[in-house]
Amino acid sequence: MERVLIAGSSRTPVGIYDGKLKDLKEEKLAVLAVRDLLDKTRLAGAHVDELIVGIAKQTSSPSNAARYIGLAAGLPEAVPAYTVQRQGASGLQAVANGFVKIRAGSAGVILAGGAESMSQIPYEIQDARYAFSPDKIVMDPIPAMVAGGQPEKQYGTLTIQGMNQAIAAAWGISPEAQEAYAAESMAKARRAAAEQALTPVEIKVKKARELVTADELYARPAVIAGAADAAAMCLLVSETAADQLGTPVLAEMVSIGVSAGSPAGPGMVGAAAIQKALEKAGKTPAEMDLIAINEACAAQALAAINAMGLSPQEAGEKINPYGGALATGNPWGAAGCVELHKLLCALKAQNGQWGLVVCGGEGGQAMAAVIKMCS
């Protein structure tokens, strides 16, 4: 089987909900990341075999956002593209799809990642297709994306807040521990603000133009990550294609782990995905130099850390060196690839070798991936 290598990654800043990036749709953000990534890797679009983009809230405009993104970014018309959905793990799923295809020898070069403009998600009017009247229900689909991830008759109405409480109760995680973890995430994000070369996003502020070059942080840390806006892309290449094209590579994607369990469960789903990815790589949590966790909520992140058996000192040194979603918000479809980009940047900066990224997907699912930096 082909080794799957990572030639580069790119991401926009993360914008908080109704923040600086609120006027830009996800496809606009993704186009910036695709163009930046191709520029950085000096790869011609004609060499791309496929574009895969994960988006959690897929609307009818554009109906296949990945195809729109490819054409708008200037990829040749002959490059196929498709959009995938695994809720908050959609971006990491897109990367996993590319990993599988290259591993099987069906492609040599794949652009994969995720995008989400949660500020742009439209409200929905239920049961209004055939007759509209004032009694029709206008629904905010963002909380509904959590509640609708599982049959309500079986699991009740779930919310992120409720799941955070359930995980905390199951693992004995106190509110004080959650607040301390969120504060540490914020502190790391502030310290790392200048350490990542992000794709600048130009926005209009009244009659002027402003370049957004850093993540937009909350005024104070939150134990529940709110909605956010961002895009992130990763360039995957086979070892054969890298040699033929002379493309420098950063890392190898070694393994993928996918898990599922009760949507209302005690937070073990992420731990199972981590275990599967590590077992396939023949590694343990202690052997990971850095670990990127998408922080949908503080209790979920702390439960994953506890399950890995890391000491508080190890966790402080290894987990999310650039902070996480509790500081910036959680851009669902982009989240997994945002964390992958952070992991690559941090490993390179710290001369680390082994890294792990994990991202939850609502409905009781999670994904993890192990990467190894190339010397």
Side-chain angles (χ1 to χ4, degrees):
M1 290 188 290
E2 284 273 9
R3 292 174 66 211
V4 182
L5 306 175
I6 302 173
S9 64
S10 178
R11 77 171 178 93
T12 69
V14 178
I16 63 175
Y17 181 76
D18 197 27
K20 289 186 175 182
L21 305 184
K22 66 178 181 179
D23 295 325
L24 296 173
K25 293 182 73 66
E26 60 269 16
E27 60 265 22
K28 301 295 184 184
L29 295 171
V31 165
L32 295 174
V34 169
R35 287 176 175 168
D36 180 65
L37 183 52
L38 291 177
D39 286 345
K40 286 197 303 189
T41 56
R42 298 182 180 179
L43 188 81
H47 293 306
V48 177
D49 293 314
E50 193 157 38
L51 170 66
I52 311 170
V53 182
I55 297 176
K57 183 56 180 176
Q58 298 179 21
T59 64
S60 59
S61 178
S63 56
N64 180 4
R67 178 60 171 167
Y68 180 103
I69 291 162
L71 295 173
L75 291 179
E77 294 175 348
V79 177
Y82 69 97
T83 309
V84 301
Q85 210 270 30
R86 197 194 280 269
Q87 294 281 73
S90 297
L92 196 55
Q93 180 64 61
V95 175
N97 286 13
F99 169 84
V100 170
K101 193 162 187 176
I102 291 176
R103 197 87 180 262
S106 298
V109 179
I110 287 183
L111 273 171
E116 204 79 61
S117 177
M118 301 188 78
S119 297
Q120 286 277 316
I121 292 175
Y123 284 103
E124 297 175 352
I125 302 175
Q126 299 296 300
D127 302 320
R129 179 177 292 275
Y130 303 107
F132 181 80
S133 63
D135 64 339
K136 301 302 181 185
I137 298 173
V138 177
M139 183 183 72
D140 181 353
I142 295 177
M145 287 162 70
V146 180
Q150 50 280 315
E152 187 173 350
K153 287 185 178 180
Q154 287 177 250
Y155 299 101
T157 301
L158 302 183
T159 65
I160 292 179
Q161 291 79 6
M163 285 186 279
N164 186 66
Q165 292 173 0
I167 294 168
W171 286 81
I173 301 170
S174 69
E176 292 78 15
Q178 295 176 54
E179 291 168 4
Y181 178 84
E184 184 178 8
S185 180
M186 175 69 81
K188 288 179 178 179
R190 285 177 175 155
R191 288 197 301 266
E195 294 183 25
Q196 299 178 78
L198 306 184
T199 306
V201 178
E202 186 180 84
I203 61 171
K204 187 176 181 180
V205 181
K206 295 182 179 179
K207 294 183 178 180
R209 294 282 176 176
E210 177 186 338
L211 269 186
V212 181
T213 59
D215 290 333
E216 190 176 6
L217 304 183
Y218 290 136
R220 57 185 180 183
V223 297
I224 306 290
D229 312 323
M233 298 299 301
C234 178
L235 182 62
L236 304 176
V237 296
S238 68
E239 189 172 24
T240 300
D243 290 341
Q244 290 175 346
L245 298 172
T247 303
V249 294
L250 292 175
E252 177 183 358
M253 181 160 280
V254 179
S255 64
I256 300 285
V258 184
S259 62
S262 170
M268 289 297 292
V269 179
I274 290 169
Q275 183 179 4
K276 287 182 178 182
L278 288 172
E279 285 180 352
K280 291 176 183 177
K283 293 291 176 180
T284 66
E287 292 177 286
M288 296 295 105
D289 295 302
L290 293 173
I291 299 169
I293 297 176
N294 185 46
E295 301 167 346
C297 56
Q300 181 187 52
L302 286 167
I305 293 169
N306 291 342
M308 286 187 281
L310 299 177
S311 69
Q313 181 179 348
E314 284 180 308
E317 293 171 352
K318 292 185 177 186
I319 302 295
N320 289 2
Y322 290 166
L326 297 181
T328 64
N330 181 23
W332 282 30
C337 203
V338 166
E339 295 304 328
L340 177 58
H341 174 84
K342 288 182 180 180
L343 182 62
L344 289 165
C345 290
L347 284 169
K348 185 176 180 180
Q350 298 185 21
N351 293 316
Q353 185 178 31
W354 287 93
L356 171 73
V357 59
V358 59
C359 187
E362 288 67 23
Q365 300 189 84
M367 297 190 71
V370 174
I371 64 170
K372 179 184 179 183
M373 297 297 284
C374 297
S375 55

